[in-house]
């Protein structure tokens, strides 16, 4: 019996995906879409993120690790043609790709031409130090016009980068109500460093911090009104990691988990990647932050996330709470932690004392957070700031009245945002936590999320 290939494009597959979205019951649709009213008619936008596995990294032989797909044009050309066919078949409004082989002009030209002919405007960004691969973000002209495009170079250990696009809707159906609400969106695309060992946890956290800090600065410099933010990419970490918790503490929601009503603790419900070690895990996310979400100060979330890493490393060393306090005391003469002892302990844990770890300013900020009374030492009670960091989602909060870019509707302040209507991973097996052996498009699964534009009463949560 011939096995069906999961990665073959075709009419049947596209019909099944469309039917799945149509079959969402009205009750479930209300739960997923929240309580916001639709802006204009219900024409949704969709976003796809996909790490397409650069041919320079794709191994063709377990015995010969040096044999890569990039050495065989017929192989990489055929696979990337199938990837493009899938992307064009899905016709997402926004496409964010990672591990695009930007070092090969033929492949780049193929993506740019095919996407361009299909109505997309695309932007590419190579990783620093000539790594060979990079990012490509494409936006369909029928849905958005580009206001601005920025490139963010981390210049760090992993030569990672990020793209930021500032777009505005051109969909006339969104404008039918002649609303004065601005319908602009910030979109980021990135690919974080792989956590080869625990010492890189700080680097990965720093990469996310730089993205959020850059977005925050961009909004202030351009005096932007409140607008939704979408973060796409391969985050190279699961829902159990500090990157996930950090983004949640900043008010972002995982669109896939929102669509399927999964909690932060449902870490094994789905997968999106089989890594080079053979492990399967969920690492590809499309994050959404609506403008009515309360956000902690960015540095507060950062400190809490770092404390979470420190606690994880202490527990990995099989230290109990009291033993962890003793470890941080180092050779302190009293029952307290000194600043010098704190610095020494961080070096021993591998989060400081090297070029890619915490810097002096980072350590000082952490110390200020934990030395609550400011007496220069940390006692056991203050140590609880480290042992029990509270890195979690902040509560909902109303936007202050009179914010520009909002509108009064029915006596209530309104702003523009998105509800998560649906989210789909391909192939379908990964949605059940399994990785099919006959899937060959990539070592990642493409994730597509459908958003419905909504007019949000300020202070009203998105369910």
């Amino acid at each position: 019996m011939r096995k069906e290939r999961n990665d073959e494009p075709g009419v049947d597959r596209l019909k099944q995906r469309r039917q799945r979205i149509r079959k969402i019951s009205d009750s479930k649709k209300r739960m997923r879409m929240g309580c916001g009213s639709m802006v204009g008619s219900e024409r949704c936008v969709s976003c796809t993120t996909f790490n397409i596995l650069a041919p320079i990294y794709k191994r063709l032989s377990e015995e010969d690790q040096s044999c890569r797909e990039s050495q065989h044009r017929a192989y990489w050309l055929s696979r990337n043609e199938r990837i493009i066919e899938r992307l064009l078949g899905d016709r997402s409004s926004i496409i964010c790709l990672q591990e695009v082989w930007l070092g090969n002009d033929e492949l780049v030209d193929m993506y740019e031409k095919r996407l361009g002919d299909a109505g997309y405007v695309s932007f590419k960004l190579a990783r620093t130090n000539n790594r060979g691969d990079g990012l490509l973000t494409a936006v369909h002209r029928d849905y958005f016009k580009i206001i601005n495009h920025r490139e963010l170079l981390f210049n760090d250990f992993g030569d990672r980068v990020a793209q930021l696009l500032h777009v505005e809707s051109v969909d006339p159906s969104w404008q039918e109500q002649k609303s004065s609400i601005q319908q602009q969106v910030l979109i980021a695309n990135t690919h974080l460093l792989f956590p080869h060992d625990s010492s890189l946890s700080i680097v990965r956290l720093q990469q996310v911090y730089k993205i959020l800090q850059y977005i925050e600065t961009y909004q202030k410099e351009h005096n932007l009104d409140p607008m939704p933010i979408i973060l796409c990419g391969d985050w190279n970490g699961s829902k159990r990691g500090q990157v996930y918790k950090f983004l949640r503490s900043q008010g972002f929601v995982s669109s896939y988990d929102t669509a399927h009503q999964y909690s932060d603790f449902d870490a094994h419900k789905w997968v999106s990647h089989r890594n080079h070690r053979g492990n399967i895990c969920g690492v590809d996310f499309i994050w959404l932050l609506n403008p009515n979400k309360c956000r902690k100060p960015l540095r507060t979330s950062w400190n809490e996330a770092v404390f979470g890493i420190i606690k994880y490393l202490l527990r990995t060393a099989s230290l109990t709470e009291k033993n962890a306090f003793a470890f941080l005391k180092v050779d302190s003469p009293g029952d307290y932690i000194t600043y010098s002892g704190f610095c020494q302990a961080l070096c021993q844990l591998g989060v400081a004392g090297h070029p890619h770890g915490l810097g002096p300013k980072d350590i000082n900020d952490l110390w200020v957070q934990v030395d609550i009374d400011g007496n220069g030492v940390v006692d056991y009670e203050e140590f609880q700031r480290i042992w029990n960091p509270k890195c979690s989602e902040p509560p909902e909060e109303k936007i202050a009245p009179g914010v520009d870019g909002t509108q009064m509707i029915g006596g209530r302040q309104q702003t523009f945002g998105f509800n998560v209507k649906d989210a789909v991973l391909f192939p379908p097996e990964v949605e059940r936590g399994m990785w099919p052996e006959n899937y060959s498009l990539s070592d990642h699964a493409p994730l597509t999320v459908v958003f419905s534009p909504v007019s949000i009463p300020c202070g009203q949560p998105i369910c």
Side-chain angles (χ1 to χ4, degrees):
M1 181 183 293
R2 186 178 71 88
K3 289 186 177 180
E4 293 183 4
R5 289 186 60 84
N6 287 325
D7 51 357
E8 291 292 334
V11 176
D12 290 341
R13 172 177 60 75
L14 295 175
K15 284 183 177 178
Q16 290 173 359
R17 287 169 64 83
R18 294 187 182 111
Q19 287 171 357
R20 174 178 174 181
I21 295 175
R22 293 192 191 105
K23 286 181 179 178
I24 301 173
S25 67
D26 289 340
S27 60
K28 286 186 177 180
K29 192 181 293 185
R30 289 302 299 169
M31 284 190 290
R32 292 182 186 177
M33 291 171 57
C35 307
S37 60
M38 295 304 299
V39 175
S41 61
E42 189 177 342
R43 186 180 183 191
C44 299
V45 298
S46 56
C47 180
T48 294
T49 186
F50 192 12
N51 181 326
I52 62 175
L53 180 57
I56 52 177
Y57 303 134
K58 182 173 173 58
R59 299 176 177 88
L60 297 183
S61 171
E62 291 294 332
E63 292 76 24
D64 183 5
Q65 296 289 304
S66 64
C67 182
R68 302 297 172 99
E69 186 188 57
S70 56
Q71 300 165 336
H72 303 272
R73 179 181 180 275
Y75 290 176
W76 62 255
L77 184 61
S78 172
R79 183 171 66 87
N80 280 274
E81 284 177 340
R82 287 188 286 124
I83 290 172
I84 292 174
E85 288 298 326
R86 174 163 195 89
L87 294 172
L88 296 182
D90 290 345
R91 201 175 182 272
S92 288
S93 317
I94 305 161
I95 298 173
C96 294
L97 304 180
Q98 305 85 42
E99 283 198 25
V100 181
W101 189 17
L102 297 180
N104 184 285
D105 291 339
E106 181 182 2
L107 183 140
V108 173
D109 290 344
M110 179 173 68
Y111 273 88
E112 291 185 328
K113 184 178 189 311
R114 294 291 303 277
L115 290 172
D117 290 345
Y120 290 91
V121 55
S122 59
F123 301 86
K124 59 183 184 292
L125 176 60
R127 289 169 62 190
T128 49
N129 289 323
N130 297 316
R131 286 299 190 107
D133 69 302
L135 308 172
L136 187 149
T137 301
V139 177
H140 204 285
R141 295 184 182 91
D142 287 353
Y143 291 87
F144 297 105
K145 69 176 181 181
I146 306 298
I147 296 176
N148 210 341
H149 166 242
R150 293 293 182 87
E151 299 177 348
L152 177 56
L153 310 180
F154 297 146
N155 293 313
D156 59 10
F157 176 75
D159 295 312
R160 302 292 173 166
V161 296
Q163 294 174 294
L164 177 65
L165 271 65
H166 180 190
V167 303
E168 183 172 18
S169 169
V170 296
D171 189 337
S173 66
W174 291 17
Q175 314 292 337
E176 284 178 0
Q177 292 183 346
K178 297 181 180 179
S179 168
S180 63
I181 300 175
Q182 288 191 346
Q183 293 157 2
Q184 299 181 5
V185 187
L186 290 175
I187 305 162
N189 181 18
T190 194
H191 181 189
L192 298 191
L193 179 68
F194 183 83
H196 294 282
D197 58 63
S198 59
S199 68
L200 298 178
S201 298
I202 295 295
V203 179
R204 290 166 37 73
L205 202 59
Q206 286 172 333
Q207 290 171 346
V208 182
Y209 180 84
K210 288 177 181 178
I211 293 173
L212 298 187
Q213 186 180 48
Y214 190 88
I215 292 174
E216 196 173 88
T217 301
Y218 177 83
Q219 289 177 299
K220 289 178 181 178
E221 287 180 351
H222 293 79
N223 196 28
L224 297 183
D225 298 326
M227 66 184 65
I229 300 171
I230 298 173
L231 306 181
C232 300
D234 173 6
W235 302 84
N236 261 325
S238 73
K239 293 172 67 173
R240 293 191 298 267
Q242 289 301 324
V243 165
Y244 179 93
K245 296 174 183 177
F246 179 47
L247 285 166
R248 293 290 286 125
S249 76
Q250 280 290 292
F252 285 89
V253 296
S254 163
S255 298
Y256 185 85
D257 292 294
T258 299
H260 295 270
Q261 301 173 47
Y262 294 151
S263 74
D264 289 338
F265 305 102
D266 293 324
H268 298 290
K269 296 285 188 178
W270 57 275
V271 297
S272 65
H273 177 42
R274 180 167 65 180
N275 65 29
H276 59 281
R277 298 171 178 171
N279 302 322
I280 58 174
C281 44
V283 301
D284 299 274
F285 291 88
I286 295 177
W287 294 94
L288 171 66
L289 177 69
N290 270 310
N292 68 332
K293 278 281 190 176
C294 172
R295 299 176 66 181
K296 290 182 180 181
L298 186 55
R299 199 64 187 179
T300 299
S301 287
W302 159 265
N303 290 333
E304 290 173 349
V306 174
F307 285 142
I309 292 174
I310 293 170
K311 179 181 179 180
Y312 169 80
L313 294 172
L314 291 169
R315 297 191 70 169
T316 300
S318 301
L319 296 178
T320 63
E321 182 176 330
K322 289 185 178 180
N323 289 338
F325 180 66
F327 174 82
L328 293 174
K329 282 171 51 181
V330 190
D331 54 358
S332 171
D335 196 27
Y336 50 77
I337 303 169
T338 64
Y339 182 74
S340 61
F342 182 65
C343 295
Q344 184 178 335
L346 294 183
C347 291
Q348 291 178 346
L349 289 172
V351 297
H354 56 86
H356 312 299
L358 296 172
K361 184 182 184 304
D362 296 322
I363 297 174
N364 185 69
D365 286 351
L366 293 173
W367 181 258
V368 170
Q369 287 291 314
V370 76
D371 181 15
I372 300 171
D373 58 15
N375 66 348
V377 296
V378 172
D379 58 27
Y380 192 81
E381 183 178 347
E382 292 171 317
F383 160 72
Q384 294 303 313
R385 279 285 185 99
I386 300 174
W387 195 251
N388 293 304
K390 298 177 181 178
C391 189
S392 59
E393 182 185 12
E396 298 288 345
E397 184 175 282
K398 292 185 178 181
I399 297 176
V403 174
D404 291 338
T406 63
Q407 181 186 23
M408 293 297 293
I409 299 178
R412 299 191 65 183
Q413 199 81 15
Q414 302 283 311
T415 188
F416 166 74
F418 285 121
N419 279 331
V420 179
K421 187 174 182 182
D422 197 21
V424 179
L425 280 161
F426 177 83
E429 290 88 343
V430 301
E431 296 195 313
R432 303 191 297 273
M434 300 179 292
W435 192 268
E437 292 299 325
N438 61 341
Y439 173 68
S440 59
L441 276 187
S442 174
D443 58 354
H444 284 257
L447 166 63
T448 297
V449 174
V450 179
F451 296 110
S452 55
V454 290
S455 175
I456 309 169
C458 292
Q460 178 176 327
I462 296 296
C463 304

